Amino acid sequence: MNSPLQTPKGTHDLLPEDFRYLDFVQKTVEKRLKDFGFGRISTPVFEFKDLFVRTSGETADIVEKELYAFASASGKEYALKPEGTAGVVRAYIQHGMHCLPQPVMLYYLEPHFRHDRPQAGRFRQFYQFGFEIIGESDPALDAQAIALAHGIHEDLGIASRLSLQINSLGCAECRTKFSAALQEFYFDKKRSLCETCQTRLEKNPLRLLDCKEEDCHLLASLAPKLSEFICPDCHTHQAQVEEFLDELGISFQKNPTLVRGLDYYTRTVFEFWDEKEGAQNAVGGGGRYDNLIKKLGGPETPALGYAGGIERIISHIKSAQVSLPAENAPQIFLAALGQTAKVYGLKLLEELREAGMRAVGVLGKSSVKAQLKLADRYQTPFTLILGQIELNNDSIIIRNMKKGSQESVRLKEVVKVMKKKLKQ
Ligand code: HAM
């Protein structure tokens, strides 16, 4: 039943515990990307619907079945963004970025929306990080993009759980010849195809190879192979990408059936799959899209990119039991007992924070027991206890929570003493 007090199907709240993971992923991703020279971009959550139709292609699932489209009161058609490449490419053209030194390297980390059937690892609102390298056709860039994604997985502690699949989809010429061969092959088999594939045959025959229906899948295994139609230039490009990957020590599987679900790809495509589950729930995917910018009305500009699904990455981080850095956890809990101690405590908390320590306390509970219970919850290595007796003596108690030992120090010394203790 739909209840306004529940998140809509396929969406979820991100609670502080979730942000421990999200922050870890974000920091790790941004460190790699910034070291590489990428700049951050954010495009609107919604754009004109036509942008997504023209970018991904009308037969792409994310357009045909999964677009959250809506019309404004004046009848303009918009859609929530199902992926990041369309918006980034639109921004590249809109802001005349072809005049900047090429390649232009942009990254994003944002929620995206697909009206997919929710299941494990498949949501209607999900986070993606992605990067686009626009303005360069050299295969060294393809290898570097793949190495970058692999490096991010290594930093996140999940690289060994993933297998890299790569393929070449060739250029427009290879694809035209291949599409014609497919249409010929399927000419007298059309009735054995599912309804969707019958439409695909006319609009985008390549997508027939991607269908999971049993009959379509069987026919696809007998159909001509794209690799037979790859022209010498595309072949050389792919061979160089593979050579660079070998040099970089990145292992991969050549997968001639990898076509990706979006129409804009040319030449290199790649995905990172779960070692065990395979194609289901890929952690990320990307590839070259050398014709897209021209197709959308910009100058002829080669480009490539990648996007990773953050929920799926986090699920791997959890399964691999990667320990997260605890760098933001509070270090000191201050238990202040009584009104005067609270007033003094607030000042002391500020002094501790200004001296660079992470301190919490004076949280309203009055009894010692309740305050120490709170200190336990924060798992701070130290608790400071300030009551009337301590105030009368101009002192404060420092309790070492791990050792269970405690000592009394002079109030005006406590910031200095704590700084020293935390350094140790
Ligand atoms: P994509 O393969 O459609 O590529 O999505 C990339 C990743 O986003 C997937 O591998 C998956 O991890 C995650 N993802 C996709 N849909 C969902 C969902 N419903 N729930 C959870 N996670 C999901 C793209 O989006 C391209 N724009 C990538 C790209 C960038 N190609 C070139 N540049």
Side-chain angles (χ1 to χ4, degrees), residues 227-416:
S227 53
E228 294 157 21
F229 296 83
I230 298 292
C231 69
D233 279 356
C234 289
H235 199 270
T236 307
H237 185 97
Q238 196 57 13
Q240 285 181 4
V241 173
E242 289 168 12
E243 193 187 324
F244 286 135
L245 289 177
D246 283 336
E247 282 299 317
L248 291 168
I250 296 174
S251 50
F252 57 87
Q253 281 176 17
K254 288 195 218 202
N255 183 341
T257 63
L258 184 73
V259 292
R260 308 259 311 127
L262 306 153
D263 275 8
Y264 49 68
Y265 292 110
T266 48
R267 295 193 163 171
T268 314
V269 286
F270 60 102
E271 281 185 357
F272 287 92
W273 288 3
D274 184 313
E275 265 287 313
K276 293 198 187 102
E277 286 179 30
Q280 198 63 27
N281 291 351
V283 153
R288 259 201 180 277
Y289 48 94
D290 290 344
N291 301 332
L292 179 63
I293 293 168
K294 178 117 194 272
K295 186 179 152 203
L296 291 181
E300 186 152 352
T301 315
L304 80 161
Y306 173 78
I310 293 186
E311 285 80 0
R312 295 185 191 177
I313 288 175
I314 289 175
S315 155
H316 276 282
I317 291 174
K318 286 182 178 167
S319 305
Q321 298 185 326
V322 175
S323 50
L324 305 186
E327 53 186 334
N328 289 328
Q331 301 160 303
I332 301 167
F333 185 86
L334 172 62
L337 311 165
Q339 193 55 24
T340 325
K342 276 187 184 173
V343 175
Y344 198 90
L346 284 179
K347 237 173 64 195
L348 179 55
L349 276 174
E350 278 309 307
E351 286 171 26
L352 289 163
R353 288 176 191 141
E354 260 167 40
M357 290 170 269
R358 294 189 296 276
V360 287
V362 193
L363 295 178
K365 297 271 182 287
S366 48
S367 76
V368 189
K369 208 172 142 202
Q371 294 223 23
L372 290 181
K373 227 172 149 182
L374 264 179
D376 267 350
R377 206 184 78 199
Y378 280 101
Q379 293 189 325
T380 53
F382 295 96
T383 295
L384 303 179
I385 304 167
L386 187 61
Q388 197 54 52
I389 301 173
E390 287 74 31
L391 275 178
N392 291 346
N393 297 335
D394 226 5
S395 68
I396 188 164
I397 294 169
I398 302 176
R399 192 175 165 86
N400 183 319
M401 303 299 277
K402 251 196 211 138
K403 292 186 186 156
S405 59
Q406 61 183 49
E407 64 188 291
S408 177
V409 298
R410 301 197 53 83
L411 249 181
K412 62 172 194 254
E413 302 283 318
V414 67
V415 174
K416 207 166 78 195

Side-chain angles (χ1 to χ4, degrees), residues 51 92 118 131 134 147 162 174 190 200 234 341 355 380 385:
L51 173 71
Y92 177 90
F131 58 83
I134 308 179
L162 307 176
C174 319
K190 201 169 167 182
R200 283 173 176 166
C234 289
T380 53
I385 304 167

